[in-house]
Amino acid sequence: AVFNLATQDRGWHGRATYPAVEAALTAMRERADAEGVASVAMPRVGAGYGGLSWKKVRVIVERVFAGWAGALYVYEEFDPAADAGAD
């Protein structure tokens, strides 16, 4: 399954908002539960191009997924050199 999370007000040109991140994550968790998804992997949603503080977004992620029976993987760092060896 792939979840596309809308966290920015005006498409990719706008900045993300904390309420939008929380709403998107909550909807994703609800859909994952409904569809029987047992694990979710995601980047630092809302940070980067979204312009939000990862420190604050991480608190939202932890709150939304607290007590979730599934496995949540958040990729906080990207190492292009490590990825290059995957081919």
Side-chain angles (χ1 to χ4, degrees):
V2 174
F3 297 97
N4 291 311
L5 306 181
T7 61
Q8 294 166 250
D9 290 332
R10 296 182 334 244
W12 64 275
H13 291 293
R15 293 181 59 89
T17 65
Y18 296 106
V21 168
E22 184 157 7
L25 290 170
T26 299
M28 180 175 71
R29 179 181 168 164
E30 290 170 357
R31 178 58 65 100
D33 287 339
E35 300 292 330
V37 174
S39 67
V40 170
M42 60 186 237
R44 299 182 327 161
V45 63
Y49 290 127
L52 299 179
S53 160
W54 173 240
K55 186 175 180 179
K56 292 178 182 179
V57 171
R58 184 177 177 157
V59 170
I60 295 169
V61 171
E62 290 172 350
R63 180 174 58 242
V64 168
F65 284 91
W68 190 50
L72 178 67
Y73 303 96
V74 179
Y75 293 90
E76 295 191 38
E77 300 293 329
F78 173 69
D79 182 356
D83 192 49
D87 292 336

